[in-house]
Amino acid sequence: MSDRIALVTGANKGIGFEIARALGTEHGMTVLVGARDEIRGKAAAEALGDFARPVRLDVTDPASVAALAAGIDRLDVLVNNAGVLLERGAPPSGTPLELLRDTFAVNVFGVVAVTNALLPVLRQAPAARIVNLGSGLGSLAFTTEPGHVYAQNPLLAYNASKTALNAITVSFANELRGTAIKVNTADPGYCATDLNFHSGPRTPAQGAVAAVRLATLPADGPTGGFFDDEGPVAW
Ligand code: NAP
């Protein structure tokens, strides 16, 4: 086992897979590859290499979260990457409540559940980092800016879940400010993944950059912020 251990949720594909790859290959970490499907998790860990270990984790299932936490006695980095975008073209006024609940179950409650379950081990690490995968679509600054491309998208549940996630990042960062733990939101930019039917112009590897930087921040790095790979993002 290498010195530092990271857990990336939803790491069997997309941006999470690339975050896992970078933490393992560029930063020498042992990476726990979170996947809700055991077979997909194993395949991803094998594809990643020796630094990767598959772990089963459905962030919406309290038993799955508890079982994972019970099996982890050291953790330096938690990347809350697992996420869903469930809208299929309905306007905000036509979005079923069930879709809102299912979205928040993963993107919001899942993050809080996993973070709380792993905080005891993260507190024991010398300088733990927590990174939440946010989105420019969760930025109220962008979605309220007249003419901004993000102000024209019809996503209710996804956008609201990522705005809520930013508030969660700030709340945890404030609670942990007196500790060595830093908590930030990473905005990967618009990347081609299954989440958006591969419509984004960026690669998943490019999308991983901001999260990896926040996962490896030095002691004088920021906490409670929202960053893409170029710097701070407007809330
Ligand atoms: P993706 O390719 O669809 O990957 C999403 C990952 O989350 C998959 O591994 C998926 O597992 C996992 N997941 C979904 N529900 C889960 C659950 N209940 N428990 C555990 N894992 C679960 O999407 P992506 O684009 O890489 O997205 C990664 C993160 O970046 C998300 O938080 C997303 O909101 C955020 N983001 C993406 C973009 C973009 O342009 N792609 C932009 C901004 C933010 P399965 O394979 O089992 O479904």
Side-chain angles (χ1 to χ4, degrees):
M1 295 284 261
S2 79
D3 273 337
R4 283 173 302 166
I5 302 180
L7 166 66
V8 183
T9 69
N12 54 286
K13 66 179 182 181
I15 296 167
F17 182 87
E18 294 299 334
I19 294 170
R21 187 206 297 280
L23 293 178
T25 60
E26 294 167 21
H27 296 279
M29 296 189 196
T30 294
V31 183
L32 307 177
V33 176
R36 58 180 163 176
D37 180 277
E38 203 168 347
I39 294 170
R40 288 199 287 271
K42 271 189 183 159
E46 272 170 28
L48 284 165
D50 284 348
F51 64 83
R53 313 257 188 289
V55 291
R56 221 192 79 68
L57 176 62
D58 181 337
V59 303
T60 66
D61 176 1
S64 173
V65 174
L68 175 84
I72 295 180
D73 56 8
R74 275 188 52 207
L75 193 66
D76 298 279
V77 169
L78 168 62
V79 182
N80 286 306
N81 166 80
V84 290
L85 191 169
L86 302 174
E87 276 103 339
R88 295 291 175 258
S93 59
T95 302
L97 270 185
E98 203 53 32
L99 190 149
L100 202 66
R101 284 194 194 97
D102 290 347
T103 303
F104 271 61
V106 180
N107 296 4
V108 179
F109 305 137
V111 171
V112 176
V114 172
T115 302
N116 281 336
L118 293 169
L119 256 187
V121 280
L122 289 165
R123 283 181 187 276
Q124 287 167 28
R129 304 287 177 254
I130 300 171
V131 183
N132 297 327
L133 266 286
S135 169
L137 291 170
S139 161
L140 293 174
F142 292 163
T143 55
T144 57
E145 188 182 318
H148 196 288
V149 65
Y150 287 175
Q152 286 142 37
N153 83 85
L155 306 172
L156 170 71
Y158 185 78
N159 293 2
S161 74
K162 294 299 184 180
T163 305
L165 182 65
N166 277 344
I168 286 162
T169 293
V170 170
S171 294
F172 274 100
N174 286 342
E175 178 180 345
L176 295 167
R177 212 168 276 279
T179 75
I181 303 177
K182 296 185 187 300
V183 191
N184 290 287
T185 301
D187 173 7
Y190 189 15
C191 306
T193 66
D194 287 352
L195 184 102
N196 52 33
F197 305 101
H198 296 262
S199 58
R202 287 161 61 83
T203 65
Q206 288 173 315
V209 170
V212 171
R213 198 166 290 161
L214 295 172
T216 55
L217 281 174
D220 61 353
T223 189
F226 184 21
F227 301 92
D228 64 16
D229 49 13
E230 292 182 350
V233 177
W235 297 108

